[in-house]
Amino acid sequence: MDMTLEVIPLPVSDIDRARDFYRDKVGFHVDIDQEVVPGMRIVQLTPPGSGCSIALGDTLWESTPGPTPAPGTYQGLQLCVADIEAARAELVGRGLDVSEPVRYADSDGATFMYFTDPDGNGWAVQEYRRRATEPLHRMLGDQAEG
């Protein structure tokens, strides 16, 4: 049985502010921005090239069991790029306050930069140079065919 991780609910205090931040400063695509059932608005955004989205919602947490996470409590969400310098230039050009890249080792996958959303949810951007020639979606497609 295949299982795919496709949507991560993200706790935010202001849906419109978060939507604008992820769309305008980080460059995510707005897939959905609507009241999906009476009283439940969902904003779903997807990073370019990704198969996984984030979901923002004002009553989203009422439909899931367990405690409601507070805005700003998610840390370590991670995006991957093939060229961290080009990604940083694009993000800075969009007005995002993102750290300088930190190279922890010379190996592929060991360079990161960081930013937070307006609520303090923390993101890492990992450079994985291999993705320039081996995009994840292509590798997964090849696995499914093999």
Side-chain angles (χ1 to χ4, degrees):
M1 170 177 64
D2 288 343
M3 288 189 197
T4 59
L5 179 62
E6 296 190 17
V7 181
I8 298 172
L10 188 65
V12 297
S13 61
D14 181 320
I15 296 170
D16 291 324
R17 178 180 71 172
R19 179 204 56 214
D20 294 350
F21 172 82
Y22 285 105
R23 180 192 63 212
D24 301 339
K25 296 206 178 209
V26 191
F28 287 15
H29 178 264
V30 178
D31 304 315
I32 299 168
D33 184 351
Q34 66 186 39
E35 187 175 65
V36 293
V37 296
M40 181 184 286
R41 177 180 173 208
I42 299 289
V43 176
Q44 186 170 314
L45 303 105
T46 304
S50 181
C52 189
S53 304
I54 58 171
L56 317 172
D58 47 9
T59 57
L60 179 66
W61 304 103
E62 295 172 15
S63 64
T64 60
T68 298
T73 58
Y74 279 23
Q75 301 299 313
L77 296 159
Q78 190 165 312
L79 301 167
C80 293
V81 298
D83 181 338
I84 205 159
E85 294 295 340
R88 185 170 192 286
E90 181 177 327
L91 294 171
V92 168
R94 292 175 166 277
L96 182 66
D97 183 14
V98 61
S99 74
E100 292 285 337
V102 177
R103 187 169 309 279
Y104 294 102
D106 289 332
S107 59
D108 193 16
T111 302
F112 291 82
M113 60 185 177
Y114 305 93
F115 69 90
T116 57
D117 73 9
D119 285 299
N121 293 303
W123 290 81
V125 180
Q126 178 187 29
E127 180 181 67
Y128 196 35
R129 295 180 304 272
R130 182 177 175 188
R131 288 292 172 251
T133 57
E134 298 177 18
L136 186 58
H137 64 86
R138 186 182 317 145
M139 291 176 62
L140 295 174
D142 291 346
Q143 285 178 352
E145 292 171 8

